[in-house]
Amino acid sequence: MTAVATSLMGVDSAGLRCAAASVLARMVRYFGVDLSFLRFHDPRAHTTVLVAEWPPRPDIPDPDPLGVIPFASADPIFAASEYLAEIMILRPSESPDYQERVRDGSGVELTSVAVVPLRSAGATTGVLGFIKYGDRGWDDDELRALKTIALLFAQMQGRMAAEDRLRHIAHHDELTGLPNRRALMEHLTGLLAAGVSGTRALLFIDVDRLKAMNDFLGHEAGDRFIVEIADRLRAAVDPADVVARLGGDELVVSVDGTCDEARAVALAERIQRAIAQPIQVGGQSLGRTVSVGIAVMEPASVSLAQWLRSADHAVLVAKKRGGNNVVVFTAEMEKREQVRVAVEMNLLTAIRDGSLTVAYQPIVDLRTRVPVGVETLVRWNHPTLGPVAPELFVGVAEATNLAGELGDWVLREACRQFATWRAELPAGTMDGFAISVNISPVQLIAIDFVSTVATTLERYGLSGRDLILEVTEHAVVSDDAAARRTLHGLRALGVSIAIDDFGTGYSSLAQLKAFPVNTLKIDRGFVLDLGHSPDDHAIVRSIIKLAESFGLDLIAEGVESEEAAATLVELGCRVAQGYLFSRPLPADRVASALMSRTGGTTYSRRATG
């Protein structure tokens, strides 16, 4: 028994058949029987499955008639094995017609069988069988040995089942039962390692606006919705395709076999149609669209990270196009993605080693064209990439949790430069002048941002009146308690708050009244064609009236024509910025422009209204 226990110790699913066959061979010799077999039960399918046998049959047909046998089989051994609780012994000598069969020379029909149940937690989980051609009895010691062997097999079976459950949990999503990120990574890693020829497709699927549904019905309903989508996704793809859930509303399909763009797009559209059908959740009939990003690659010539990143980038493009889109990753997108990756890899170093620079766009009084302030704009001229578009590296900063560090650097640099101008220019030149700095939503909810601003102002000898902080309309009106506290803390320092790109978000009159906002900046999209577009004229007029109603200052962005400037003055807006007056300038040219200022011109505080 010790040798049997040692043979079964540490056996996993992969080594089960070999280890079990080795033990059966030992038992056949020890007990002097002709055949032995081990079967495990599958209660869900009501079948018994052959695990191992000894000696092995020389010619096994396909399918094997002994491989999987239903409990309802006509064979009494298999029919009885489902609930067998004690050893079952069948001896020909106990048959009424034994003597007659001996006289007839029936031979092989004179068979002795011992069937030993594998028991676990009060249930029969399998059987161990021994067959002897001829009449054979079993004494008490042998029966005890059979029970011990069966116990060892049952313990091994239970341990393997527990390991399989843990393995399943580790590789499957708890909510949907789909393979999880780890399982997908292992699948794709194996695919790439095999170096298969031909193109393969990876589809990233993202549910459009699921958060809105969660907010409306609750996360429990959202979970049920995801489960239904997962079921529909499985039904929409081929059985051999691997469908995985990365988390949240992100799902991935690894298409089996060679797949070109046309086939991948057709599959994506089939998935969209399947998921778009209304789903009953929480008493509501809800429909949601999905965005699909496709990356078709040659496994032999691509890395796993690149393949996944490409599909993810494609689905982000699909989302940016309004959702319910299918986007295939292209060579041009790949080129842009390479630049984005290079930016991501170098941005932190650029922030910390002084590679970034700052430009300043003058904000002028429309009546006198005299600067009343400047907006601080960060710039990056990379040594190999050249000038990097601000929207690119600022977007990367937000996506990689560097937005706070980038924003704090710009704030310090702006305040340092403001103090330098004040020290170098004639006394009174900077009176009524303010510097404007954009801050990110991350900074707005940071616990220590108010103290960061206070420390920076103190370090450079500035007051709150010298600084305007610009925040996006969405960030201001978001119902975030931390953002509200930050805004009120900044106002307590005397810092002014301006809503950038006003008119493109979702502000309501009540929200504007509730927040400590000083200035509205009219979005450039409404200003560029001002003087020619009746619609823009009506929108700008409404924004100006709104600002007047709430006692707010106004700045128009993107002024590029005299018609637009004149129209703004006519409508009541007195302060603006844009290429008509100046492009962003380096600090020394701003100093020259400041020399033209005269006393009494101020940036805001309603003095220019």
Side-chain angles (χ1 to χ4, degrees), residues 24 35-39 113-116 127-131:
L24 294 181
L35 298 172
S36 183
F37 60 84
L38 175 67
R39 306 187 71 90
V113 178
V115 181
V116 192
V127 292
L128 179 63
F130 298 91
I131 298 175

Side-chain angles (χ1 to χ4, degrees), residues 404-479:
E405 187 163 354
L406 174 62
D408 290 349
W409 179 86
V410 175
L411 175 66
R412 290 193 301 271
E413 181 61 19
C415 290
R416 183 199 65 77
Q417 185 58 61
F418 189 95
T420 300
W421 286 329
R422 176 172 285 172
E424 294 178 348
L425 294 173
T429 302
M430 303 289 291
D431 292 348
F433 190 86
I435 193 164
S436 178
V437 179
N438 291 277
I439 61 173
S440 69
V442 172
Q443 291 172 285
L444 196 60
I445 62 174
I447 297 175
D448 59 348
F449 184 63
V450 174
S451 63
T452 296
V453 173
T455 300
T456 304
L457 291 173
E458 182 179 4
R459 176 181 180 181
Y460 294 107
L462 307 183
S463 72
R465 293 184 59 84
D466 298 321
L467 181 63
I468 306 286
L469 294 180
E470 297 187 12
V471 295
T472 63
E473 186 173 358
H474 175 73
V476 171
V477 302
S478 64
D479 192 22

Side-chain angles (χ1 to χ4, degrees), residues 199-203 236-242 253-271 273 292 294 296 326 328:
T199 56
R200 300 295 181 102
L202 203 61
L203 278 62
V237 304
D238 293 335
D241 296 339
V242 174
V253 176
S254 173
V255 182
D256 183 60
T258 302
C259 182
D260 58 15
E261 288 186 9
R263 180 187 167 201
V265 170
L267 175 59
E269 292 173 346
R270 187 163 79 234
I271 290 170
R273 289 192 296 270
V292 184
I294 300 172
V296 178
V326 175
V328 179

Side-chain angles (χ1 to χ4, degrees), residues 142-194:
E142 288 178 328
L143 292 177
R144 282 192 291 270
L146 293 181
K147 289 182 179 180
T148 301
I149 296 168
L151 176 62
L152 293 173
F153 272 116
Q155 290 173 343
M156 178 196 69
Q157 183 187 21
R159 174 176 52 76
M160 286 175 38
E163 291 172 355
D164 287 344
R165 285 193 296 272
L166 290 175
R167 192 176 298 110
H168 184 275
I169 291 171
H171 288 79
H172 289 78
D173 175 57
E174 182 180 1
L175 178 64
T176 63
L178 293 174
N180 59 14
R181 181 184 293 273
R182 174 185 292 181
L184 178 67
M185 296 302 105
E186 291 181 0
H187 164 74
L188 295 177
T189 299
L191 188 64
L192 296 180

